[in-house]
Amino acid sequence: MRKNLKTYQRLSRLPMGKQLFSFIVCRVAPYFASIRPQITSLRPGFAEVQIKKRRRVTNHINTVHAIAMCNMAELAGGMMTDVSVPIKSRWIPVGMTVEYLKKAKSDLTAHAQGEHINWETEGDKIVPVEVRDQNGEMVFRAEITMNVRH
């Protein structure tokens, strides 16, 4: 089992454990702290990340900024990839294609789906991430290319 998954599973059983895990991730990769994410679910093939709509992540029209959504998508896709690849594997994001589907006017939830990806082979893997608002409507979609090496 990958270290991040083991740590998430151990901490998520504790009160405030998911918040502590999210804080640790942001200490290791400080740029993610700019969106104050909460990693609310993590398992091989799936990750869920939530952010609150707050002034710091909004743009001039008071919606969640496009780059904040890119940031949360990369975090969700990266965490899901990290806990899905074989133990000795390495990975790095090498590209991202995004679509902004509608204005993001509320708190957001990103889902990275990787259940159907073959993580046992090397090469580029396309990781789909959907970001939805509080009404469950998709506001943003990303395909993140993760390069995996064993």
Side-chain angles (χ1 to χ4, degrees):
M1 183 183 310
R2 302 278 297 196
K3 179 180 159 190
N4 280 330
L5 183 57
K6 201 180 297 185
T7 303
Y8 177 81
Q9 289 175 341
R10 191 173 60 244
L11 290 177
S12 65
R13 287 184 234 137
L14 303 173
M16 304 292 288
K18 291 178 182 179
Q19 292 87 340
L20 179 58
F21 180 78
S22 300
F23 175 79
I24 292 167
V25 168
C26 291
R27 294 287 294 173
V28 173
Y31 186 71
F32 291 123
S34 67
I35 60 169
R36 228 187 261 164
Q38 292 295 309
I39 300 165
T40 52
S41 183
L42 184 62
R43 63 181 183 270
F46 183 80
E48 180 180 270
V49 173
Q50 297 179 344
I51 66 168
K52 299 265 187 222
K53 180 187 176 223
R54 57 193 178 88
R55 184 168 175 8
R56 189 163 278 223
V57 297
T58 58
N59 56 24
H60 64 289
I61 57 173
N62 197 33
T63 61
V64 178
H65 196 281
I67 300 306
M69 290 186 283
C70 288
N71 199 353
M72 77 183 296
E74 185 180 348
L75 177 59
M79 292 305 301
M80 186 274 298
T81 299
D82 189 68
V83 302
S84 300
V85 297
I87 289 177
K88 299 283 185 181
S89 298
R90 299 173 59 94
W91 61 273
I92 189 166
V94 295
M96 183 162 56
T97 303
V98 301
E99 293 178 86
Y100 307 105
L101 305 171
K102 68 181 285 196
K103 291 178 182 176
K105 298 178 180 179
S106 69
D107 298 349
L108 301 175
T109 302
H111 292 124
Q113 305 279 349
E115 293 95 349
H116 304 294
I117 297 171
N118 181 357
W119 297 107
E120 299 301 318
T121 61
E122 288 190 325
D124 288 347
K125 312 292 180 183
I126 305 297
V127 174
V129 182
E130 295 180 352
V131 176
R132 296 182 181 274
D133 64 15
Q134 284 184 319
N135 296 324
E137 295 183 46
M138 194 179 334
V139 297
F140 174 94
R141 178 175 36 228
E143 288 187 340
I144 305 172
T145 305
M146 301 291 190
N147 185 264
V148 177
R149 295 285 171 233
H150 298 312

